[in-house]
Amino acid sequence: MTYKAGDILIIEGGFVLVASSSAGGYYVWPMVKSDGPDNRMSYVLEAEDLFVEKSVNIPLGIDLNCRLKIIEEDIKGKAGEINLPCLEKLWRSDISSRAEQFYNLFHTPPPFEPGKTWVSCAGKVYDEKEIISLINASLDFWLTTGRYASFFEEKLANFLGARYCLLTNSGSSANLLAISSLTSAKLGERRLRPGDEVITVAAGFPTTVAPILQNRLTPVFVDVDPETYNVAVEQLESAVSTKTRAIILAHTLGNPFNLDAITKIVKRYGLWLIEDNCDALGSTYRGRYTGTFGDLATLSFYPAHHITMGEGGAVLTSDPLLKRITESFRDWGRDCWCPPGKDNTCRRRFAWRLGELPSGYDHKYTYSHLGYNLKITDMQAAVGVAQLNKLADFACMRRKNFQQLYAGLQKHKDVFILPKSTENADPCWFGFPLTVRDGAPFTRQQLIQHLEDHRIRTRLLFAGNILKQPAFQDVHYRVAGELKNTDLIMERTFWIGLYPGLGQKEIDYVLDAFDWFMRMKLARCSNNNR
């Protein structure tokens, strides 16, 4: 007789459940009578309605850690058969238990060894839960956006207090979608048109600025504050012209920009506001999460960021029209808003008349924008779902590490401009920025080299003055005022890590490395003055 997965067999001493078959025998899970799971690795069949055949009507425990091989001669008969949904749960539980063992063996971070282990600026922090979630999505084999993406979008929107969250494949794509959405004809007179001006800063990441140019708009650059690294708000209003239609700004390294001042200007002149929140997930301003103040906001889930999907990003909005437009630009520019695998959400699939198409042309193949395909896979979203459960703890650790670095570097404030939180803000810091003061007995390069030599990674503040970058040499832009502080950042600023993967030992090691460098430089200065 041939048995299949899900069959409950009688053997000497009890029952077994067929897991799979192979030449010469069957792989089985042993089953024992149980009043409940002995541990979290066992799965209990609680009721006889789980069986196709009702021969077995007692709760049976299955030890997923113990898989045996038996031959047909060991089998005394078939006692029952579990249904497919139950079998699927068992298989997923079995695979998950093995994934946890795999993580413990091969992914658990080694203990920190000062001078040997790199102290990174950023990185992914995860455990077996992310691996299990990723495997479960893979077993679904829904290769595009699916149930995990929908769950993540709803959960993150609720957490932040936004109405909508739309996942995309990166934070850079999120910025492209946010700017592109404002060019839609569906916005009427408020739409952005070629030549319109968008105010931003030159000290930042290039993909905050690139979508302005990619949409044939004109970026207008304003200087920044040297302590908060955010836009110098006292210069912002003077940058507004008759062509200005929008402002896009990042909360630099997680430090919120002055939302009171900026939202006043936005309202006064009827401008759009986009928050680049890619480095600031979890930051608050007056007790409200950043990413919920603007018309649109963006997030990144690259491994360096507050939570990760590997690659991934999102657009946030509470405006139903902007949600539909952004979704359209993300999904090929289509007019239809059916999720993948769904039809006729609008219940008028063959009743529309749009453009010069024939009446009743299939709404799923009607396009209202020159869009892209920037969706995310459900496997990436599954990692994000597991990460989202850790966001509060991650934010707490970032704030703790920031405070410790700040306290430990206070003694060197004569040679460093230490970071300053924006008034009314509680940053969830992305990194710890430092600017070497004019007159310090060392250069930024000397200090960075010392830290890197001691296996402490450093990063500059992204593009520095982005207008000095090769890609921006031939683009059309306008500068409002001087970019004095932007140039200072380009020449003297860097940042170090404070992400949740760093514990007390790493933070102490970093502070010791700074102290040693300062003693060395002071001793050298003292010797030179003799």
Side-chain angles (χ1 to χ4, degrees), residues 217-377:
L217 305 166
T218 301
V220 177
F221 294 101
V222 181
D223 207 2
V224 296
D225 177 84
E227 293 180 305
T228 66
Y229 301 95
N230 283 314
V231 64
V233 290
E234 66 276 6
Q235 299 179 26
L236 190 61
E237 190 161 11
S238 63
V240 177
S241 77
T242 56
K243 294 183 178 181
T244 303
R245 305 298 300 279
I247 297 174
I248 179 170
L249 295 168
H251 301 291
T252 307
L253 292 177
N255 192 16
F257 53 75
N258 186 332
L259 281 153
D260 284 344
I262 291 169
T263 53
K264 284 180 183 177
I265 292 172
V266 164
K267 290 176 181 177
R268 185 177 301 140
Y269 294 98
L271 308 178
W272 296 105
L273 174 61
I274 300 174
E275 295 175 75
D276 183 334
N277 202 49
C278 291
D279 292 348
L281 179 58
S283 296
T284 62
Y285 187 87
R286 294 192 182 277
R288 176 177 162 188
Y289 284 112
T290 56
T292 64
F293 290 82
D295 299 285
L296 293 155
T298 60
L299 290 167
S300 173
F301 306 122
Y302 191 71
H305 288 270
H306 291 64
I307 59 173
T308 186
M309 299 180 182
E311 300 286 353
V315 178
L316 302 170
T317 186
S318 291
D319 186 309
L321 178 57
L322 288 177
K323 183 259 186 182
R324 279 191 56 194
I325 293 170
T326 303
E327 197 170 39
S328 173
F329 272 100
R330 183 193 66 180
D331 300 357
W332 307 284
R334 65 181 185 158
D335 198 77
C336 174
W337 57 86
C338 291
K342 302 291 184 181
D343 293 332
N344 208 22
T345 304
C346 65
R347 300 186 180 182
R348 296 185 60 204
R349 180 178 172 187
F350 300 107
W352 292 92
R353 176 67 189 273
L354 298 171
E356 297 182 9
L357 294 170
S359 180
Y361 197 83
D362 191 346
H363 194 221
K364 286 181 71 70
Y365 293 96
T366 302
Y367 304 92
S368 296
H369 300 103
L370 299 178
Y372 311 92
N373 180 8
L374 300 177
K375 296 192 301 301
I376 198 169
T377 70

Side-chain angles (χ1 to χ4, degrees), residues 119-133:
V119 180
S120 294
C121 289
K124 56 188 182 293
V125 179
Y126 66 101
D127 57 26
E128 75 280 357
K129 294 180 180 64
E130 282 79 0
I131 298 175
I132 290 169
S133 191

Side-chain angles (χ1 to χ4, degrees), residues 43-324:
Y43 187 94
V44 178
L45 307 181
E46 295 287 0
E48 58 182 82
D49 63 359
L50 294 173
F51 299 90
V52 176
E53 297 180 13
K54 306 289 183 155
S55 307
V56 180
N57 57 12
I58 57 172
L60 292 170
I62 301 171
D63 186 354
L64 296 173
N65 272 326
C66 186
R67 189 181 295 200
L68 307 173
K69 187 174 183 180
I70 64 172
I71 58 175
E72 194 149 349
E73 285 75 10
D74 298 327
I75 301 169
K76 300 187 181 302
K78 177 179 171 182
E81 175 185 341
I82 65 171
N83 60 33
L84 281 176
C86 183
L87 181 62
E88 180 184 1
K89 288 180 182 179
L90 282 168
W91 268 106
R92 286 179 182 264
S93 297
D94 182 42
I95 293 169
S96 295
S97 68
R98 295 172 191 276
E100 182 174 356
Q101 295 165 19
F102 188 89
Y103 169 81
N104 291 332
L105 280 171
F106 303 112
H107 284 266
T108 304
F112 176 69
E113 295 185 59
K116 293 183 179 180
T117 307
W118 277 99
V119 180
S120 294
C121 289
K124 56 188 182 293
V125 179
Y126 66 101
D127 57 26
E128 75 280 357
K129 294 180 180 64
E130 282 79 0
I131 298 175
I132 290 169
S133 191
L134 177 59
I135 289 172
N136 274 319
S138 301
L139 293 174
D140 290 351
F141 212 67
W142 188 263
L143 299 180
T144 184
T145 299
R147 66 183 179 104
Y148 282 98
S150 297
F151 181 79
F152 181 94
E153 289 174 336
E154 181 180 0
K155 190 171 182 180
L156 183 57
N158 288 338
F159 176 86
L160 294 174
R163 190 170 178 182
Y164 305 109
C165 170
L166 296 170
L167 279 173
T168 184
N169 60 1
S170 72
S172 297
S173 293
N175 282 339
L176 176 61
L177 288 170
I179 292 286
S180 299
S181 296
L182 297 183
T183 69
S184 172
K186 293 180 182 293
L187 296 174
E189 290 302 312
R190 290 202 69 195
R191 68 181 292 197
L192 302 186
R193 293 177 171 82
D196 285 346
E197 293 183 345
V198 180
I199 296 174
T200 188
V201 295
F205 200 75
T207 55
T208 305
V209 179
I212 302 172
L213 297 162
Q214 289 159 343
N215 280 281
R216 296 184 295 163
L217 305 166
T218 301
V220 177
F221 294 101
V222 181
D223 207 2
V224 296
D225 177 84
E227 293 180 305
T228 66
Y229 301 95
N230 283 314
V231 64
V233 290
E234 66 276 6
Q235 299 179 26
L236 190 61
E237 190 161 11
S238 63
V240 177
S241 77
T242 56
K243 294 183 178 181
T244 303
R245 305 298 300 279
I247 297 174
I248 179 170
L249 295 168
H251 301 291
T252 307
L253 292 177
N255 192 16
F257 53 75
N258 186 332
L259 281 153
D260 284 344
I262 291 169
T263 53
K264 284 180 183 177
I265 292 172
V266 164
K267 290 176 181 177
R268 185 177 301 140
Y269 294 98
L271 308 178
W272 296 105
L273 174 61
I274 300 174
E275 295 175 75
D276 183 334
N277 202 49
C278 291
D279 292 348
L281 179 58
S283 296
T284 62
Y285 187 87
R286 294 192 182 277
R288 176 177 162 188
Y289 284 112
T290 56
T292 64
F293 290 82
D295 299 285
L296 293 155
T298 60
L299 290 167
S300 173
F301 306 122
Y302 191 71
H305 288 270
H306 291 64
I307 59 173
T308 186
M309 299 180 182
E311 300 286 353
V315 178
L316 302 170
T317 186
S318 291
D319 186 309
L321 178 57
L322 288 177
K323 183 259 186 182
R324 279 191 56 194

